[in-house]
Amino acid sequence: MNLALQGGGALGALTWGVLDRLLDERHLRIEAISGTSAGAMNAAALASGWVSGCRQGAQKTLSAFWEAVGTSSGSLPGSTRLLIDLSRLFSPSQLNPFDLNPLRKIISDHIDFKALQSRGAIKLFIGATRLRTGALRLFENPELSEDALLAPACLPTLNHAIEINGERY
């Protein structure tokens, strides 16, 4: 089976639930997963956990990842709406001059990139948009890194563009 996982913030958490149930199927064999934004996070978490613990490892990693996202989101100040409104008036470099992105630490803590680059890993195709041309760029297992996962999840009004090998996403 090949999976294509969409992005969309909260839809990522919904997809986590669907994947958790799908992983209960004993005869499931996942060949490849494509994803962008939250779909990229789910793809990487599933594949990372699969290498170390098959179905249960994938379920455990997905759960830990989304629980960390929920904990991080729960600590946002009550003025989140104000921040979103201000993002329409200011650039990310003005609004977030230190390029703070809590997702970076969550990815670092929960995704095993060496496992994703190993021989037995599920094939991943992570889609990001090139800032300069608007063209799609697919990152595959050997190229995966924190930045390659942050690139498709970059919110242009809140986050600085992610630069990989001189190209901004």
Side-chain angles (χ1 to χ4, degrees), residues 66-77 101-103 106:
W66 283 103
E67 286 175 19
V69 168
T71 300
S72 173
S73 300
S75 65
L76 290 175
N101 188 339
L103 191 54
I106 295 169

Short mmCIF file of all heavy atoms in Angstrom, two decimals, residues 66-77 101-103 106:
data_model
loop_
_atom_site.label_atom_id
_atom_site.label_comp_id
_atom_site.label_asym_id
_atom_site.label_seq_id
_atom_site.Cartn_x
_atom_site.Cartn_y
_atom_site.Cartn_z
N TRP A 66 2.38 13.70 18.26
CA TRP A 66 1.19 14.55 18.34
C TRP A 66 0.89 15.00 19.76
O TRP A 66 0.35 16.08 19.97
CB TRP A 66 0.00 13.86 17.66
CG TRP A 66 0.15 13.97 16.18
CD1 TRP A 66 0.56 13.00 15.32
CD2 TRP A 66 -0.01 15.16 15.41
NE1 TRP A 66 0.64 13.51 14.05
CE2 TRP A 66 0.30 14.83 14.07
CE3 TRP A 66 -0.38 16.46 15.70
CZ2 TRP A 66 0.25 15.76 13.04
CZ3 TRP A 66 -0.43 17.40 14.68
CH2 TRP A 66 -0.12 17.04 13.36
N GLU A 67 1.25 14.20 20.74
CA GLU A 67 1.10 14.66 22.13
C GLU A 67 2.03 15.83 22.40
O GLU A 67 1.66 16.78 23.09
CB GLU A 67 1.32 13.51 23.10
CG GLU A 67 0.15 12.54 23.10
CD GLU A 67 0.37 11.31 23.97
OE1 GLU A 67 1.26 11.35 24.86
OE2 GLU A 67 -0.34 10.31 23.76
N ALA A 68 3.24 15.79 21.85
CA ALA A 68 4.17 16.91 22.00
C ALA A 68 3.64 18.16 21.29
O ALA A 68 3.76 19.27 21.81
CB ALA A 68 5.56 16.53 21.46
N VAL A 69 3.06 17.99 20.11
CA VAL A 69 2.46 19.12 19.40
C VAL A 69 1.33 19.72 20.24
O VAL A 69 1.22 20.93 20.40
CB VAL A 69 1.95 18.71 18.00
CG1 VAL A 69 1.09 19.80 17.38
CG2 VAL A 69 3.12 18.36 17.09
N GLY A 70 0.49 18.85 20.79
CA GLY A 70 -0.62 19.33 21.62
C GLY A 70 -0.14 20.06 22.85
O GLY A 70 -0.69 21.11 23.22
N THR A 71 0.89 19.55 23.50
CA THR A 71 1.44 20.21 24.69
C THR A 71 2.02 21.56 24.31
O THR A 71 1.82 22.55 25.00
CB THR A 71 2.52 19.32 25.33
OG1 THR A 71 1.92 18.08 25.71
CG2 THR A 71 3.15 19.98 26.54
N SER A 72 2.73 21.61 23.19
CA SER A 72 3.33 22.85 22.72
C SER A 72 2.24 23.88 22.38
O SER A 72 2.34 25.04 22.73
CB SER A 72 4.20 22.59 21.49
OG SER A 72 4.66 23.78 20.94
N SER A 73 1.18 23.44 21.71
CA SER A 73 0.08 24.33 21.33
C SER A 73 -0.67 24.83 22.56
O SER A 73 -1.13 25.96 22.59
CB SER A 73 -0.90 23.62 20.40
OG SER A 73 -0.25 23.20 19.24
N GLY A 74 -0.78 23.97 23.56
CA GLY A 74 -1.49 24.35 24.78
C GLY A 74 -0.78 25.42 25.57
O GLY A 74 -1.38 26.10 26.40
N SER A 75 0.51 25.61 25.30
CA SER A 75 1.27 26.62 26.04
C SER A 75 1.29 27.97 25.34
O SER A 75 1.94 28.89 25.80
CB SER A 75 2.69 26.12 26.27
OG SER A 75 3.38 26.00 25.05
N LEU A 76 0.58 28.09 24.21
CA LEU A 76 0.53 29.37 23.53
C LEU A 76 -0.23 30.38 24.38
O LEU A 76 -1.21 30.03 25.04
CB LEU A 76 -0.17 29.23 22.17
CG LEU A 76 0.60 28.47 21.09
CD1 LEU A 76 -0.27 28.31 19.85
CD2 LEU A 76 1.88 29.19 20.72
N PRO A 77 0.20 31.63 24.36
CA PRO A 77 -0.50 32.63 25.16
C PRO A 77 -1.91 32.86 24.64
O PRO A 77 -2.23 32.57 23.48
CB PRO A 77 0.37 33.88 24.98
CG PRO A 77 1.13 33.66 23.73
CD PRO A 77 1.30 32.16 23.59
N ASN A 101 10.75 28.41 16.34
CA ASN A 101 9.79 27.48 15.78
C ASN A 101 9.76 26.23 16.67
O ASN A 101 10.66 25.39 16.60
CB ASN A 101 10.17 27.10 14.35
CG ASN A 101 9.09 26.28 13.66
OD1 ASN A 101 8.24 25.68 14.31
ND2 ASN A 101 9.14 26.25 12.34
N PRO A 102 8.73 26.13 17.55
CA PRO A 102 8.69 24.99 18.47
C PRO A 102 8.63 23.64 17.76
O PRO A 102 8.99 22.61 18.33
CB PRO A 102 7.44 25.24 19.31
CG PRO A 102 6.67 26.30 18.61
CD PRO A 102 7.61 27.02 17.70
N LEU A 103 8.19 23.63 16.50
CA LEU A 103 8.11 22.38 15.76
C LEU A 103 9.49 21.78 15.53
O LEU A 103 9.65 20.56 15.48
CB LEU A 103 7.38 22.61 14.43
CG LEU A 103 6.98 21.39 13.64
CD1 LEU A 103 6.15 20.41 14.48
CD2 LEU A 103 6.19 21.82 12.41
N ILE A 106 10.33 19.53 18.44
CA ILE A 106 9.46 18.34 18.43
C ILE A 106 9.97 17.35 17.39
O ILE A 106 10.07 16.15 17.65
CB ILE A 106 7.99 18.74 18.18
CG1 ILE A 106 7.47 19.58 19.36
CG2 ILE A 106 7.13 17.50 17.97
CD1 ILE A 106 6.12 20.23 19.11
#
